[in-house]
Amino acid sequence: MIKNIGSHFALLLTISLLLVGAFCLNKKLNSNTSNAIALHNVQENIDNVNNETETGLEILPAHEPVKVYTPELGKSFVAFKEALGFKESRGDYFTINDFGYLGKYQFGKETLKLIGIYNPVVFLNTPELQEKAFIANASRNKWVLRRDIKRFKGKTINGILITESGILAAAHLAGPGNVKKYLRSYGRHGFSDAFGTSIDYYLKKFSGYDTSNISPNKKAKVKLEKQTA
């Protein structure tokens, strides 16, 4: 009886050991299979990348830098106007300098009266009015200097090529009368403003812009519906 029990126990132990061994072997085989599949997928991805590179397809970086494009104004009238406004005030419509000149283009009060603007406070706080004032003043200056533009355009004075836009810019700085004296004296009669900026400087800096759309007008005035504070 005891012998039979021992035989059964030995048989059960043997069966248990075989089952444990089979389970471990199966787990190892599954692990090896998963690793093989993963390695296959990695290799397949590498092969795809290589194929795309070989066929000329470009792989973009994760963060492509953003390109910013700004309009190119060149030598247009808008470029002329904005360059002059930047030189006068850095484009600030609401500034007053130490000498009382106003706005983006730094107008004096007497010049404003010539073109029909009598309220400096409204002028300073109205960008649209300032832009209209610039056009009107340029038209008036072009009329005053019309003969001098025709006579001196394309000539060289003090090493500076004289252009219409340079003449109009200088007139904005110094007034058309001083520019007329400068041109007719071939540069001997100079002028500088309170900051030391000269006619020569403006003639050169603002040379070659297209100001052909400015019509000479002796009586150029700004027309705006309301100029009251």
Side-chain angles (χ1 to χ4, degrees):
M1 183 72 175
I2 295 173
K3 184 177 180 181
N4 290 335
I5 291 172
S7 298
H8 287 300
F9 178 77
L11 180 61
L12 289 173
L13 180 62
T14 301
I15 292 171
S16 298
L17 291 173
L18 289 173
L19 289 173
V20 170
F23 175 78
C24 292
L25 179 61
N26 184 57
K27 186 175 182 181
K28 185 174 182 181
L29 288 172
N30 288 337
S31 176
N32 289 339
T33 301
S34 297
N35 289 339
I37 292 171
L39 288 174
H40 175 74
N41 290 337
V42 170
Q43 184 61 47
E44 188 177 37
N45 289 336
I46 293 173
D47 292 341
N48 288 337
V49 170
N50 289 336
N51 288 336
E52 288 178 355
T53 302
E54 289 172 2
T55 55
L57 295 176
E58 183 181 359
I59 301 171
L60 297 176
H63 299 287
E64 185 73 14
V66 177
K67 294 181 180 179
V68 178
Y69 295 95
T70 54
E72 178 59 51
L73 298 177
K75 288 288 187 176
S76 67
F77 176 71
V78 173
F80 170 73
K81 183 168 63 72
E82 293 305 312
L84 190 53
F86 187 82
K87 176 65 180 67
E88 292 289 332
S89 70
R90 293 191 173 273
D92 186 352
Y93 286 106
F94 309 106
T95 188
I96 305 175
N97 77 3
D98 295 339
F99 301 97
Y101 288 86
L102 307 167
K104 178 178 177 179
Y105 301 104
Q106 293 291 280
F107 276 100
K109 294 177 183 178
E110 295 305 313
T111 300
L112 290 177
K113 290 177 184 178
L114 289 174
I115 55 176
I117 298 173
Y118 303 98
N119 192 322
V121 175
V122 172
F123 174 78
L124 187 64
N125 289 283
T126 312
E128 179 188 358
L129 188 57
Q130 294 186 35
E131 295 297 335
K132 288 177 180 290
F134 181 84
I135 301 296
N137 189 56
S139 295
R140 181 180 173 276
N141 288 340
K142 191 168 182 176
W143 184 87
V144 174
L145 292 162
R146 64 195 185 284
R147 294 189 181 93
D148 298 278
I149 291 171
K150 185 176 181 180
R151 177 181 174 187
F152 292 99
K153 182 179 176 180
K155 292 185 178 180
T156 301
I157 297 176
N158 291 339
I160 301 166
L161 177 65
I162 305 301
T163 65
E164 180 180 289
S165 61
I167 291 174
L168 293 179
H172 184 87
L173 170 78
N178 283 315
V179 175
K180 186 178 290 190
K181 291 176 183 177
Y182 174 94
L183 293 171
R184 294 182 182 184
S185 69
Y186 285 87
R188 291 188 295 274
H189 189 286
F191 172 90
S192 296
D193 71 1
F195 296 103
T197 307
S198 67
I199 288 177
D200 280 330
Y201 178 81
Y202 265 47
L203 285 171
K204 184 176 181 179
K205 182 173 180 62
F206 298 102
S207 173
Y209 287 91
D210 181 8
T211 53
S212 59
N213 63 325
I214 295 294
S215 301
N217 185 352
K218 180 182 180 180
K219 298 180 180 180
K221 301 285 184 181
V222 174
K223 294 181 180 180
L224 201 68
E225 292 181 2
K226 205 172 185 182
Q227 291 190 35
T228 57

